[in-house]
Amino acid sequence: MKMEVQITSKDTIKPSSPTPPHLRNYKLSLLDHLIPAPYAPIVLFYPCNTDYVISLDLLRQSLSKTLTRFYPLAGTMKDDLSIDCNDEGAYYVETRVNCTLDHFLTKPDLVLIHKFFPCDLILKESAGTFASNFQVNVFECGGIAIGICISHKVVDGAALSTFIKAWSGAARGCGEAILPDFVASSLFPTSDLWLRDSSIAMWGSLFRLGKCRTQRFVFDSSAITGLKAKANLKLCPTRVEAVSGFLWKCLMNASEKKHGSPRPSFLTHLVNLRRRISHPTLENSMGNLLWIAATRCVVEHKPGLKHFVTEVKEATSKIDGEFVKTLRSDEGSSVMSDSFKEIGELGRQGVECFGFSSWCKFGFYDADFGWGKPVWVSSFGMDGSVFINLIMLNDTRFGDGIEAWVTLDEEEMNILEHNPELVEFASLDPSPLHIGESKPCC
């Protein structure tokens, strides 16, 4: 049976209290133009809970209250530099899905996840479009999937987590509300679009033509421990560094087998700047506080896992407090421009690029609206003809593993998923119901 998602209602959810006039114009920061993707999308899957009734009215009411504090999310895109905080509200859709959640999660189709989102994830935003969009998908069993598409100009992964924590907390009736901070535009002010134009040119050089496919690789805690031991580093790598370095090694192997000879490559990794900036209120800050770590691997020798993990660790470690001070200084624009030029030139030379981003430790699995925590938190799959080699990392349900969503050339993906070393450490596209101690949903 083909899964169908039928819209039952469309609405806008307005904030419960009006936004004060002096907050009407929300200025975007310089770094809000770094990421070309229009949205930061995520889907939270909740099983039917016999102890609690999943109330759709509660979702609406709590969202309305939360939008009062996160007022730019209730506005519309004004231009490329600002959001009109006009209280137009968030676009809100409810649907019915013609299968049970258990049926879908037994073998989730990563491309069909697009159906759970309220808007097209590829189309660029235009003036007047909603800053935030939500879709509540109700399965036959009573389980739900909440699809969230918030403008990437307003949130990165950490900011998205802050909003979801606030919304779910409001739904549970938590007495202490999470208060967001809107300081990004003062930390990285801008009055023009030079960074957007430079970043578009850089990312554009990394796009490839062909046929891509997205696949999930799940590393449990014992596998990650094994990777750390195999890397044999005196300074113990983080989970993300170990998995990123290992995947980079496997990706280069797939590229070599496709092309018949080893090729040079480079890795980019988005780094959260919040803990690297000397500022007292960044934990709940909105906006994009991100920068790109980058490192190369030449093909003069065949490096082992230690080399790749070390390269990742050293590259991300360079994005420290002193580096952020430089970004915010008079030298910042030239440092940013030089970084873009270097990455863009490598892309134009045909050097393989693998772009990594991590949402680990952001706490998405703690999003309890009153009926329990999500059984799965997902990204989405791609199958287009224009793509970037992209690897998204997220926690597994119990926080000790990592789920890697890898989008790659289809031929290289076929090679990658049959790599014996990768198969030794990772499970290929396992059902979310069978990760950790998950139980059947419906």
Side-chain angles (χ1 to χ4, degrees), residues 364-381:
F364 290 117
Y365 277 97
D366 294 328
D368 182 354
F369 288 85
W371 46 75
K373 297 180 179 182
V375 68
W376 193 38
V377 175
S378 90
S379 183
F380 62 96

Side-chain angles (χ1 to χ4, degrees), residues 82-332:
S82 60
I83 294 173
D84 186 359
C85 304
N86 51 20
D87 295 337
E88 284 292 313
Y91 180 58
Y92 192 88
V93 179
E94 291 179 359
T95 76
R96 292 285 176 181
V97 186
N98 70 335
C99 68
T100 65
L101 180 56
D102 183 70
H103 175 80
F104 179 75
L105 292 184
T106 297
K107 190 172 178 56
D109 186 319
L110 306 188
V111 175
L112 283 183
I113 291 174
H114 281 267
K115 290 179 176 287
F116 299 137
F117 288 111
C119 50
D120 191 310
L121 302 179
I122 305 300
L123 291 179
K124 187 180 182 298
E125 302 156 302
S126 56
T129 58
F130 292 98
S132 58
N133 309 267
F134 303 87
Q135 184 166 306
V136 179
N137 307 276
V138 182
F139 290 81
E140 286 181 347
C141 59
I144 67 171
I146 303 175
I148 301 173
C149 290
I150 298 177
S151 171
H152 219 316
K153 291 185 175 70
V154 191
V155 297
D156 57 10
L160 177 61
S161 172
T162 294
F163 168 76
I164 292 174
K165 287 176 184 175
W167 182 17
S168 58
R172 294 196 313 274
C174 290
E176 189 173 340
I178 292 177
L179 300 177
D181 291 304
F182 299 97
V183 297
S185 61
S186 62
L187 294 172
F188 293 94
T190 187
S191 58
D192 57 37
L193 299 173
W194 78 264
L195 186 76
R196 183 202 66 176
D197 296 340
S198 299
S199 67
I200 287 175
M202 176 195 68
W203 295 119
S205 70
L206 307 182
F207 277 100
R208 305 176 64 184
L209 293 175
K211 174 73 172 172
C212 74
R213 181 159 64 89
T214 301
Q215 190 62 277
R216 292 167 55 237
F217 299 91
V218 178
F219 299 80
D220 63 21
S221 59
S222 61
I224 295 173
T225 299
L227 285 175
K228 288 183 177 182
K230 190 173 182 178
N232 192 28
L233 292 180
K234 291 181 180 179
L235 295 175
C236 184
T238 65
R239 293 183 307 142
V240 168
E241 290 164 350
V243 170
S244 297
F246 176 67
L247 282 173
W248 187 15
K249 181 177 184 292
C250 295
L251 290 164
M252 281 194 66
N253 176 266
S255 172
E256 178 181 348
K257 287 194 172 182
K258 176 186 174 181
H259 297 284
S261 60
R263 306 178 75 194
S265 73
F266 69 104
L267 169 146
T268 65
H269 219 305
L270 291 175
V271 177
N272 182 6
L273 302 181
R274 285 167 178 78
R275 294 184 179 180
R276 295 163 169 83
I277 300 176
S278 178
H279 195 281
T281 64
L282 288 185
E283 182 180 355
N284 295 326
S285 59
M286 304 303 287
N288 291 268
L289 290 173
L290 299 169
W291 192 246
I292 308 168
T295 184
R296 298 182 64 178
C297 181
V298 296
V299 294
E300 295 171 356
H301 65 292
K302 205 155 189 174
L305 178 61
K306 181 177 181 178
H307 173 85
F308 288 98
V309 176
T310 300
E311 286 293 317
V312 174
K313 189 173 188 65
E314 290 182 351
T316 54
S317 297
K318 289 176 183 177
I319 313 300
D320 57 11
E322 288 302 313
F323 179 82
V324 175
K325 286 181 183 177
T326 301
L327 286 186
R328 296 183 60 201
S329 71
D330 293 339
E331 303 173 55

